[in-house]
Amino acid sequence: MDQDEALSNLNDYNEILQSEVYVDLERLRMLARHGIPTQLRGEVWKYLLGVQQADRSKELSSSKTRSCEYQQMSKTNPEISKRIRGEVTRYQRRVPELKNKHYAETFENIIIAYLNANHDIEYSPALVFLCAPFIYALEKEDDAYFCFERMMQASEEYDGSNPLKERVARFMTLFRYVLPELCNCFEEEEVDSNEWITSWLQHLLAKEMQFNHLVRLWDSYFAMNDPLEFHPFLCLSILRFAKESLEDLEQSEIRTMLLRLPSLNMNMVIADAFNLRHETLERQMIEEGDL
């Protein structure tokens, strides 16, 4: 995007966000699918995730309510704090965008508050990866918490009706159909597909994808009605773009690449994923019609 396009895009966002009465969520979603300017990402995510309501008349009161609610939440758990600090230190070495020291405390507060409010959920290092984009994008800690909570709730609801084992099996079927040569290559090299597929599907690529690519991807995801249904096609698209490189590698190198993804053109990957999904659904309809 050149400078004039970027400025025009920024103006389009500001026009929506500065509306005095009502934020046009449909228009906001349409824009967000193509990426959100860095300086506005946090504000837009709040609307897309339903943390901030479109009705501007309630904005101040709802913001105060969120702030009070978060303030009253327990953020103490010495045992978990220690584990979070260790994981955050490792994560910050990888992600320069979050190297600032004050971020470490924010990670602790948000993750412990979430675990204390959801006793059925156990701590996992993946929570650091999943929480990071919200800490980066949102200025206020309570806003970051509630956006993180919304995404986690949506993920848990989806997991409830779509068990991970079934999703992995469905993905493998798609993988074999769309990229048979690469699938055979992985089998010949004895790559443990369960390891990387499980992580890719369960954590929305938060562990594997370069940070700037991840926040760009989540711009599109939060603008969709069904991002978790779309996600497997995005994963296939990544494999399609990386196919030639992966086929030249040996087992350990393939594993390394799948668990630390290279630089990607996210606009192209996302567009390709939409095409893949359309082609797959079209093929299913044709096959069902032939039965």
Side-chain angles (χ1 to χ4, degrees):
M1 190 183 289
D2 65 30
Q3 200 169 352
D4 288 342
E5 281 180 311
L7 185 59
S8 172
N9 188 45
L10 186 63
N11 289 337
D12 288 342
Y13 273 103
N14 280 325
E15 185 187 331
I16 298 168
L17 294 171
Q18 289 167 8
S19 167
E20 290 182 12
V21 181
Y22 187 86
V23 171
D24 187 339
L25 288 181
E26 199 48 50
R27 198 169 154 222
L28 199 60
R29 284 192 188 98
M30 285 174 68
L31 283 176
R33 284 180 191 132
H34 305 286
I36 302 167
T38 303
Q39 63 268 48
L40 297 177
R41 179 169 280 124
E43 194 66 21
V44 174
W45 279 9
K46 281 193 290 181
Y47 286 107
L48 297 180
L49 289 162
V51 169
Q52 188 69 274
Q53 299 304 306
D55 183 350
R56 297 298 298 269
S57 68
K58 298 172 183 174
E59 191 171 308
L60 195 59
S61 62
S62 65
S63 179
K64 280 183 179 175
T65 302
R66 284 198 307 274
S67 183
C68 290
E69 186 183 339
Y70 182 68
Q71 215 169 3
Q72 289 166 15
M73 295 177 86
S74 167
K75 303 174 189 72
T76 308
N77 187 321
E79 186 192 333
I80 299 293
S81 282
K82 191 177 177 183
R83 293 168 70 186
I84 294 170
R85 278 197 295 273
E87 192 59 45
V88 169
T89 300
R90 287 187 287 275
Y91 183 75
Q92 287 178 315
R93 289 193 203 112
R94 275 184 52 208
V95 182
E97 292 92 337
L98 286 163
K99 265 188 177 168
N100 196 308
K101 197 174 179 181
H102 83 270
Y103 285 126
E105 188 181 345
T106 309
F107 273 106
E108 277 186 66
N109 289 342
I110 290 175
I111 293 170
I112 291 172
Y114 176 71
L115 293 172
N116 286 345
N118 297 273
H119 296 293
D120 54 326
I121 295 170
E122 291 183 10
Y123 171 73
S124 156
L127 291 172
V128 170
F129 297 88
L130 290 162
C131 184
F134 301 108
I135 291 174
Y136 176 69
L138 289 122
E139 289 181 18
K140 291 173 64 186
E141 190 176 300
D142 57 287
D143 285 337
Y145 171 82
F146 285 108
C147 285
F148 170 66
E149 182 187 57
R150 282 296 175 105
M151 189 192 74
M152 294 301 294
Q153 284 171 346
S155 182
E156 285 152 29
E157 284 171 21
Y158 187 77
D159 288 348
S161 51
N162 297 272
L164 186 59
K165 265 191 174 181
E166 289 179 17
R167 284 153 58 198
V168 169
R170 285 201 302 268
F171 183 83
M172 277 307 298
T173 302
L174 276 172
F175 183 25
R176 283 194 188 94
Y177 196 90
V178 175
L179 294 164
E181 291 173 2
L182 185 61
C183 192
N184 289 338
C185 168
F186 282 12
E187 286 172 359
E188 284 168 15
E189 289 292 335
E190 298 181 345
V191 175
D192 181 2
S193 293
N194 199 54
E195 178 191 21
W196 63 271
I197 292 172
T198 299
S199 181
W200 280 28
L201 294 180
Q202 194 171 22
H203 305 130
L204 296 176
L205 296 165
K207 292 175 74 173
E208 295 82 11
M209 191 171 267
Q210 292 181 19
F211 191 76
N212 60 322
H213 296 343
L214 181 68
V215 292
R216 167 63 192 92
L217 175 62
W218 285 12
D219 289 344
S220 291
Y221 278 8
F222 298 157
M224 293 179 195
N225 293 322
D226 58 350
L228 295 166
E229 287 287 329
F230 178 79
H231 183 63
F233 298 98
L234 190 286
C235 295
L236 282 172
S237 177
I238 290 171
L239 292 171
R240 190 144 79 168
F241 274 91
K243 179 176 179 288
E244 287 185 17
S245 300
L246 287 164
E247 286 175 341
D248 289 337
L249 302 176
E250 294 179 356
Q251 186 204 62
S252 63
E253 297 167 321
I254 291 171
R255 181 182 181 274
T256 299
M257 188 170 173
L258 292 172
L259 298 179
R260 288 286 182 273
L261 290 169
S263 186
L264 297 160
N265 182 325
M266 288 312 298
N267 289 335
M268 288 177 67
V269 170
I270 293 165
D272 183 60
F274 274 109
N275 291 335
L276 265 173
R277 186 187 199 185
H278 177 73
E279 289 163 15
T280 304
L281 293 174
E282 204 171 52
R283 193 161 54 233
Q284 284 175 351
M285 286 170 68
I286 291 166
E287 286 171 0
E288 284 168 11
D290 288 343
L291 291 176

